[in-house]
């Protein structure tokens, strides 16, 4: 029987992460494919699962940043609408669309720095130690940066909500 | 009532609390503060809801189109290697047999003048040389192509 590639369990979250950096689902898929190939061929892949996860997201992040550097648009804001649209799955149900659409638009309005930390934490469940390792920052910086990103996202959502005349975000 | 301009003392610890990343002491402190601060209670509830929404908004369900491509990669590669080796072995055997027969014929058959035999030998050797040259070019091209793929 064929054994499943151990990195596949992070596939969906990694695509989401790469999409949030690149603003494009197709490039995100390419990047994650490359990271998977790299995990097959690289000589120094850690053996324990926790370290593998950190390694994998680090590789995905580096590939994203390299890609953005090649296009010379790191730090430049991606088009918010295009980014929000790139998260949409084709087979998505329309039930929870409005709230989810707001989250995507709010996310698109964050800085890349805020976007990556909040996606790595809230979507991919990386611990603060893992976040420090993947992002290459001090562990002490993680909590404040993450909190600021969450507050910024919340502000964007409240703004979007009042614009559309809806109720408060938390209900 | 607390506003955004007057943040509570626990502000960012609230995120640490939500993520279960605080020391027991810090955790206690936040818990005590939460009891008396509706503002932070609301903030915590918002962040919690946000986390659930983020998962739905960003996480991509693994596409059925992608998975076979990834998982099928290894066996496909091995089958490819196997196929190519068999093909190359076959071609090598057939061509060496052909050239062996040809050489034997050219050396022993005295009914044809020697210069005709030399011409035939030159013709086939030239053909072989050209084939090897093209093969070499292809191999070099493949190698650089592979390198480019790895570097990306
Ligand atoms: Zn408070």
């Amino acid at each position: 029987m064929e054994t499943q590639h151990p990195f596949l369990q992070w596939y969906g979250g990694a695509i989401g992460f790469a999409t949030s950096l690149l603003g494009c689902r197709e490039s995100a898929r390419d990047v994650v494919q490359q990271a998977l190939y790299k995990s097959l061929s690289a000589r120094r892949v850690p053996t324990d699962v926790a370290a593998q996860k950190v390694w994998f997201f680090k590789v995905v992040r580096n590939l994203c940043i390299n890609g953005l550097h090649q296009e010379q648009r790191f730090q430049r804001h991606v088009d918010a609408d295009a980014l929000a649209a790139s998260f949409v799955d084709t087979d998505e149900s329309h039930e929870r669309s409005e709230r989810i659409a707001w989250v995507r638009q709010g996310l698109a309005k964050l800085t890349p720095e805020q976007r990556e930390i909040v996606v790595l934490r809230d979507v991919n469940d990386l611990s603060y130690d893992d976040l420090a390792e993947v992002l290459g920052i001090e562990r002490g910086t993680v909590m404040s940066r993450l909190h600021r990103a969450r507050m910024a996202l919340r502000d964007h959502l409240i703004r979007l909500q009042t614009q559309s005349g809806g109720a408060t975000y938390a209900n | 009532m607390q506003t955004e301009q007057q943040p509570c003392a626990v502000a960012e610890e609230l995120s640490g609390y939500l993520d279960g990343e605080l020391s027991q002491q810090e955790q206690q402190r936040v818990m005590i503060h939460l009891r008396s601060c509706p503002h932070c209670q609301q903030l915590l509830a918002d962040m919690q809801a946000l986390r659930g929404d983020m998962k739905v908004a960003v996480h991509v369900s693994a596409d059925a189109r992608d998975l076979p491509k990834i998982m099928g990669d290894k066996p496909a590669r091995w089958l490819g290697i196997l196929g190519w080796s068999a093909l190359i072995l076959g071609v090598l055997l057939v061509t060496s047999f052909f050239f062996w027969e040809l050489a034997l014929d050219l050396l022993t058959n005295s009914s044809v003048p020697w210069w005709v035999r030399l011409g035939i030998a030159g013709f086939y050797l030239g053909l072989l040389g050209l084939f090897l040259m093209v093969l070499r070019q292809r191999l070099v091209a493949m190698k650089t192509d592979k390198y480019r793929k790895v570097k990306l």
Side-chain angles (χ1 to χ4, degrees):
Chain A
M1 224 186 92
E2 201 177 320
T3 52
Q4 212 197 14
H5 192 290
F7 289 78
L8 280 182
Q9 56 185 309
W10 306 308
Y11 183 76
I15 298 255
F17 171 56
T19 306
S20 71
L21 278 182
L22 298 169
C24 164
R25 180 77 79 89
E26 278 310 308
S27 334
R29 193 171 283 152
D30 287 347
V31 158
V32 175
Q33 289 272 356
Q34 280 173 39
L36 284 169
Y37 282 128
K38 207 163 179 176
S39 74
L40 288 172
S41 59
R43 244 173 278 157
R44 282 182 302 157
V45 182
T47 42
D48 83 283
V49 180
Q52 275 180 345
K53 188 174 183 180
V54 171
W55 182 91
F56 183 59
F57 278 96
K58 226 172 169 175
V59 170
V60 171
R61 181 174 183 266
N62 284 341
L63 288 169
C64 286
I65 290 173
N66 286 348
L68 290 173
H69 273 311
Q70 270 168 22
E71 294 171 41
Q72 303 194 323
R73 61 185 182 93
F74 192 55
Q75 295 301 333
R76 202 190 296 172
H77 280 265
V78 290
D79 178 48
D81 289 329
L83 177 56
S86 65
F87 286 120
V88 178
D89 267 323
T90 42
D91 55 348
E92 202 168 86
S93 72
H94 293 280
E95 293 306 309
R96 45 193 174 187
S97 294
E98 198 181 35
R99 201 174 157 110
I100 296 305
W102 280 336
V103 173
R104 284 167 177 157
Q105 277 169 30
L107 198 62
K109 291 205 169 69
L110 296 181
T111 68
E113 213 180 63
Q114 292 174 330
R115 218 181 300 134
E116 65 176 354
I117 197 167
V118 89
V119 168
L120 284 176
R121 172 62 222 173
D122 285 349
V123 180
N124 293 290
D125 299 313
L126 264 66
S127 72
Y128 285 12
D129 284 331
D130 293 349
L131 288 172
E133 175 73 25
V134 170
L135 301 175
I137 56 178
E138 295 290 318
R139 196 202 185 273
T141 321
V142 171
M143 189 160 72
S144 53
R145 188 185 286 188
L146 179 61
H147 189 70
R148 249 178 288 130
R150 278 171 172 162
M151 290 302 101
L153 183 54
R154 182 170 168 271
D155 287 348
H156 283 308
L157 287 173
I158 290 170
R159 209 166 304 144
L160 284 168
Q161 211 135 21
T162 36
Q163 271 168 20
S164 77
T168 55
Y169 176 69
N171 38 29
Chain B
M1 204 183 113
Q2 240 128 355
T3 61
E4 303 289 328
Q5 280 73 39
Q6 301 168 291
C8 292
V10 296
E12 60 182 58
E13 276 83 4
L14 217 51
S15 269
Y17 180 78
L18 176 70
D19 296 321
E21 295 270 357
L22 295 183
S23 71
Q24 214 158 9
Q25 211 176 5
E26 293 168 316
Q27 208 177 331
Q28 208 71 32
R29 205 165 70 88
V30 174
M31 244 156 73
I32 290 168
H33 175 82
L34 272 172
R35 261 179 234 150
S36 60
C37 182
H39 172 76
C40 283
Q41 283 169 20
Q42 182 65 60
L43 218 56
L44 187 67
D46 283 3
M47 290 197 298
Q48 213 150 13
L50 205 55
R51 189 156 71 174
D53 291 340
M54 282 278 291
K55 277 221 168 74
V56 180
V58 176
H59 193 279
V60 176
S61 50
D63 207 308
R65 281 169 299 164
D66 301 334
L67 290 182
K69 206 160 108 198
I70 306 160
M71 304 203 300
D73 179 63
K74 241 178 178 174
R77 207 189 294 168
W78 279 109
L79 278 177
I81 289 171
L82 210 73
W84 276 108
S85 330
L87 188 71
I88 289 167
L89 195 73
V91 168
L92 277 178
L93 279 172
V94 170
T95 42
S96 50
F97 177 74
F98 172 76
F99 277 103
W100 172 254
E101 284 288 289
L102 185 73
L104 219 63
D105 194 45
L106 287 176
L107 283 175
T108 51
N109 191 348
S110 48
S111 65
V112 183
W114 66 268
W115 52 272
V116 175
R117 284 186 269 161
L118 200 67
I120 292 171
F123 176 74
Y124 278 107
L125 278 176
L127 221 58
L128 184 71
L130 282 175
F131 172 73
L132 286 177
M133 191 188 78
V134 171
L135 189 71
R136 200 187 111 80
Q137 280 173 347
R138 281 292 147 88
L139 283 176
V140 168
M142 214 168 79
K143 223 181 222 165
T144 49
D145 202 35
K146 238 185 208 159
Y147 178 63
R148 194 168 55 84
K149 228 194 248 164
V150 168
K151 211 179 83 183
L152 260 172

